[in-house]
Amino acid sequence: MKKRYLFPDDYMADPSVHVFNGRIYIYPSHDIQLDNVENDNGDQYVMQDMHVLSIDGDPMTAPVIDHGKALDIADIPWAGRQLWDCDCAEKDGRYFLYFPLKDRNDIFRIGVAVASRPEGPFIAEPDPIRGSYSIDICVLHDDADGEYYLYFGGLWGGQLQRYADNKALENPYLPEGAEPSLPSRCVRLSKDMLQFAEEPRPVQVVDEEGRPLRADDPHRFFEASWVHKYNGKYYFSYSTGDSHLLCYAVGDNPYGPFVFKGEILSPVVGWTTHHSIIEYRGKWYLFHHDAAPSGGRSWLRSLKVCELTYTPDGHILPIPGTDTPV
């Protein structure tokens, strides 16, 4: 399968991709070349700023434009460290960038920054979203009801195991074995796009009998929520973390439950897999990353893209993760 490295001039990862004004915009995290110690908390992912990339044309061949720095951790009033993955949504001609960032207590919160153009620059709100936690942002503008839904959550370094019913736990808890796995979260945004309009809800991935996937299932949720629609159905895709897969499940509404359907991408070079899926000019594309150009150093990742194919019954054809890209 033909794949393409999108931006070999720098290390970027976790691409959230949208089409604004007829052009593809990519909102990645920005890896930094440092000598890092890898651990399960993700301390090797230092990220201090983010750039916005765009493509006007075929994403497999058209030039990729770097619009420069769109947001810097130094300009976020409540910042601690680790400006991780983000996503962007447009409403009424304004662009809202949602990002996870550790505060000065080393707890991940979700912040918002606003711009008048999709490439920024973005100006951060003075405080994080009330009641927010964890990482890995996706925003769905649902054409069925006009609402905006934000998805988030990641285990281990993403701190999701520190919460239950949207409240911090005294002792973090990770389910094991046959216990139901920890789910992602979904929350409807307020009309001004700056706060949650409700309490976040769990996003259950279930089997064909409606049972939540077990904690020991290699296809259970770990991080990197993404939601897109295809033929009126909601496709929830995600990374399985330590089993290194991208998987997807299908539901009938933004909150789920989503019925597990299969794997999208097999393991890539490097520990993490993080992605987005879009339609552009009649074709579907998978954007993701791997660490092959950096020699497998998982905190120095590079953006990739390839075409995505559906079967007539709506299944996604699996893609090999280790194909040699162009």
Side-chain angles (χ1 to χ4, degrees):
M1 173 175 287
K2 183 179 179 182
K3 299 181 182 179
R4 178 194 184 191
Y5 279 115
L6 285 168
F7 196 68
D9 294 338
D10 204 348
Y11 292 114
M12 297 185 184
D14 308 324
S16 293
V17 184
H18 293 278
V19 178
F20 296 130
N21 307 319
R23 177 178 294 183
I24 293 173
Y25 285 89
I26 305 170
Y27 300 87
S29 56
H30 188 189
D31 290 345
I32 298 175
Q33 294 198 57
L34 296 173
D35 291 327
N36 295 315
V37 176
E38 294 191 58
N39 58 42
D40 290 344
N41 289 326
D43 287 333
Q44 62 269 33
Y45 301 111
V46 177
M47 295 94 116
Q48 296 175 346
D49 62 29
M50 62 154 296
H51 289 223
V52 177
L53 310 178
S54 71
I55 304 172
D56 189 7
D58 185 347
M60 302 302 297
T61 58
V64 178
I65 305 302
D66 179 9
H67 295 278
K69 188 184 297 184
L71 184 67
D72 192 292
I73 197 170
D75 299 323
I76 302 171
W78 52 276
R81 64 189 182 108
Q82 294 180 298
L83 179 63
W84 282 11
D85 65 289
C86 60
D87 196 12
C88 186
E90 181 274 335
K91 184 177 183 181
D92 298 332
R94 302 173 75 206
Y95 295 86
F96 298 84
L97 186 76
Y98 300 89
F99 57 89
L101 173 66
K102 283 182 177 176
D103 64 16
R104 289 164 189 165
N105 294 315
D106 230 27
I107 297 172
F108 270 113
R109 307 293 185 192
I110 298 172
V112 190
V114 185
S116 59
R117 303 181 301 169
E119 63 268 28
F122 290 87
I123 306 301
E125 292 291 301
D127 298 295
I129 294 175
R130 294 187 294 273
S132 65
Y133 55 94
S134 200
I135 63 167
D136 285 9
I137 314 302
C138 165
V139 181
L140 171 71
H141 182 202
D142 192 0
D143 56 4
D145 60 10
E147 299 286 355
Y148 291 78
Y149 297 90
L150 187 146
Y151 298 81
F152 67 93
L155 279 61
W156 296 7
Q159 302 181 346
L160 189 61
Q161 70 276 7
R162 298 186 184 187
Y163 296 85
D165 299 323
N166 302 313
K167 295 180 176 59
L169 298 172
E170 185 173 349
N171 297 301
Y173 182 73
L174 271 172
E176 297 180 351
E179 295 179 276
S181 56
L182 278 181
S184 175
R185 303 288 192 268
C186 175
V187 60
R188 182 169 49 84
L189 290 169
S190 59
K191 297 300 182 183
D192 65 5
M193 304 289 282
L194 301 179
Q195 298 292 335
F196 294 164
E198 59 185 0
E199 288 283 312
R201 307 185 194 185
V203 179
Q204 294 290 354
V205 177
V206 301
D207 63 20
E208 295 290 346
E209 285 73 45
R211 297 170 299 200
L213 297 193
R214 294 164 40 135
D216 59 3
D217 190 321
H219 300 118
R220 57 86 176 93
F221 170 80
F222 187 94
E223 61 185 7
S225 304
W226 186 262
V227 178
H228 73 279
K229 294 182 75 172
Y230 179 76
N231 285 348
K233 295 288 188 179
Y234 297 80
Y235 282 63
F236 175 73
S237 50
Y238 57 93
S239 170
T240 63
D242 52 350
S243 57
H244 313 295
L245 303 168
L246 285 181
C247 294
Y248 75 104
V250 179
D252 295 319
N253 69 79
Y255 297 112
F258 295 91
V259 179
F260 176 79
K261 294 298 181 183
E263 299 174 9
I264 299 175
L265 185 71
S266 60
V268 300
V269 175
W271 198 90
T272 67
T273 307
H274 195 128
H275 71 298
S276 56
I277 296 171
I278 66 162
E279 182 184 17
Y280 184 65
R281 298 183 179 178
K283 293 183 178 181
W284 286 88
Y285 296 93
L286 172 72
F287 292 78
H288 65 101
H289 66 241
D290 72 16
S294 69
R297 289 175 289 176
S298 67
W299 64 92
L300 292 176
R301 299 158 295 173
S302 296
L303 300 173
K304 295 172 77 174
V305 64
C306 62
E307 287 192 31
L308 189 87
T309 303
Y310 296 88
T311 65
D313 61 358
H315 284 80
I316 296 174
L317 291 181
I319 297 168
T322 54
D323 275 9
T324 302
V326 295

